[in-house]
Amino acid sequence: IYLSALRTVLDTIGALIFTKDRMGHYTFANQGFCKLVDVAPQNLVGKCAADLFDPATAKELEEIDRQVLETGRTTERREVRHAKHGVESYCFLTVKAPVLDQQGAIVGLSGVSIDITESERTEALLRESRLMLDAAIKSFDGHIYMKGPDRRYLFVSPKVEELFRRPAAQIIGRTDAELFSEEDANRFKELDDK
């Protein structure tokens, strides 16, 4: 009953979980991993990375495995995987750790991979949007700035940098009172209040 419950947990945990022996052959994988590589769990044992992934991915995975097995150190890295039978690529945050026997000798490795494909795509879109926004703001001939509720500058355009005769790094995070004379700071406060 315990092993059945453990298998259920491993299959529904939302991460890819696997183990390998010292030769790089899979000894276990949960359903998420098996689904990714399109192999039934009972057919996975004994296979190696080259059986499941495209040659470049397999070579990279084998190199990381070798490092873990030779050094005994846990690795954590971002991996892009291309399944051998699929066209899609997936991005994972993968942690691999050595598996030790009772005498402390390395007998294999275990791995947990969390799918970060969507967050990677979202970050790429955000970077692209930010670059386009920055380009549009730089070409705009107006003074653009943003302040938080505490009246500290959060953003300034290049035109504001020119007006204040300071780089953005010397403006962001500061208030008008920290940047200008009391008279000018009060004038800006009145404008902000309006």
Side-chain angles (χ1 to χ4, degrees):
I1 293 175
Y2 173 76
L3 289 177
S4 175
L6 178 60
R7 180 71 194 213
T8 300
V9 168
L10 293 176
D11 284 338
T12 58
I13 202 162
L16 310 183
I17 300 172
F18 57 90
T19 59
K20 293 182 178 183
D21 63 19
R22 283 197 61 81
M23 303 303 293
H25 296 107
Y26 288 92
T27 56
F28 167 82
N30 69 348
Q31 284 185 358
F33 184 92
C34 292
K35 183 178 176 185
L36 173 75
V37 297
D38 196 26
V39 173
Q42 64 272 18
N43 297 333
L44 183 95
V45 173
K47 294 202 180 294
C48 63
D51 298 324
L52 305 174
F53 298 97
D54 72 283
T57 301
K59 184 177 179 181
E60 182 182 344
L61 295 175
E62 289 165 357
E63 175 58 26
I64 298 163
D65 293 351
R66 185 189 61 72
Q67 290 173 16
V68 172
L69 293 168
E70 287 181 4
T71 66
R73 291 193 193 118
T74 298
T75 64
E76 180 180 315
R77 56 185 290 139
R78 181 187 164 279
E79 297 177 349
V80 176
R81 292 188 182 167
H82 306 277
K84 195 171 191 174
H85 305 292
V87 293
E88 272 195 86
S89 64
Y90 299 89
C91 187
F92 293 93
L93 176 61
T94 300
V95 177
K96 292 182 179 178
V99 174
L100 309 175
D101 66 12
Q102 291 180 348
Q103 289 74 38
I106 299 171
V107 294
L109 64 84
S110 65
V112 176
S113 297
I114 299 168
D115 188 348
I116 58 171
T117 307
E118 270 312 303
S119 64
E120 289 280 314
R121 286 182 186 145
T122 301
E123 283 182 33
L125 288 172
L126 287 172
R127 279 191 301 273
E128 185 178 319
S129 295
R130 177 61 192 238
L131 289 173
M132 290 178 10
L133 181 62
D134 286 348
I137 287 173
K138 285 179 183 173
S139 66
F140 185 71
D141 194 31
H143 298 90
I144 303 170
Y145 64 88
M146 187 183 323
K147 293 180 184 177
D150 60 357
R151 296 183 186 255
R152 293 187 180 282
Y153 285 91
L154 301 172
F155 171 83
V156 294
S157 69
K159 287 287 187 185
V160 172
E161 288 178 281
E162 288 176 28
L163 178 68
F164 290 0
R165 295 188 182 112
R166 297 168 194 223
Q170 291 180 7
I171 303 169
I172 304 296
R174 296 198 169 130
T175 65
D176 292 323
E178 295 171 297
L179 296 168
F180 306 107
S181 67
E182 185 178 344
E183 181 182 327
D184 288 339
N186 286 335
R187 191 168 41 98
F188 280 123
K189 182 182 180 313
E190 287 175 24
L191 291 170
D192 288 348
D193 287 344
K194 286 181 184 178

